[in-house]
Structures are given as C-alpha cells and as structure tokens.
Amino acid sequence: YVLTENVDVKIQILTISGGLVKELFYPAGTVGKSYGVIEGLVNEIFWDGKNDRGMIVANGMYVCRMFFGNKIEQRYIGILKR
C-alpha cells in the first residue's frame, strides 16, 4: 500500500464470517509500515499465518482490512498449506 503522509495503520485479518483472527498496529511514522511522503511511499506488511494466540490458521479464505488514518481498504487472502 502507498501512503502520502505518516498515519497510524491498523491491519485486521478476519475470517470470511467476520471473526477477528489477528490484529496488527503500527504508529504513524514507522518506517516501512506507516510512513508516507507527498509523492507516495510503498509500505509492506507480512503476516505469518498465525492468529493472536500464535496458532497457525486453517486453510481457507480470509479478509485483510486495512485502516490508514480515515481510509479503509479491504483485500482477500487465500491460505493453502500442504
């Protein structure tokens, strides 16, 4: 995701039915996570596939909800393990 200013970033990983699996928070100005510049700066978040209790999640579809200041974006994530 690209940010044009420093903002708090909250990431929620949810089940398709809306249950909270994992929540990540990065305060404004965290380099690589919640840092922005006027021209736009790419930030990345990596999820290890574990829930808030440290357990690896089951195969299936998940929702990634991203909160950037007053903006919200949503993406879908597919998990497939061998």
Side-chain angles (χ1 to χ4, degrees), residues 16-36:
I16 291 295
S17 60
L20 183 63
V21 174
K22 180 83 172 183
E23 187 167 83
L24 304 165
F25 178 78
Y26 302 97
T30 305
V31 175
K33 309 293 186 213
S34 59
Y35 188 76

Side-chain angles (χ1 to χ4, degrees), residues 1 12 62-66 72-77:
Y1 55 94
Q12 291 179 332
Y62 293 85
V63 178
C64 177
R65 194 169 291 154
M66 302 169 282
I72 300 173
E73 292 187 19
Q74 186 167 290
R75 302 284 187 273
Y76 294 93
I77 300 170

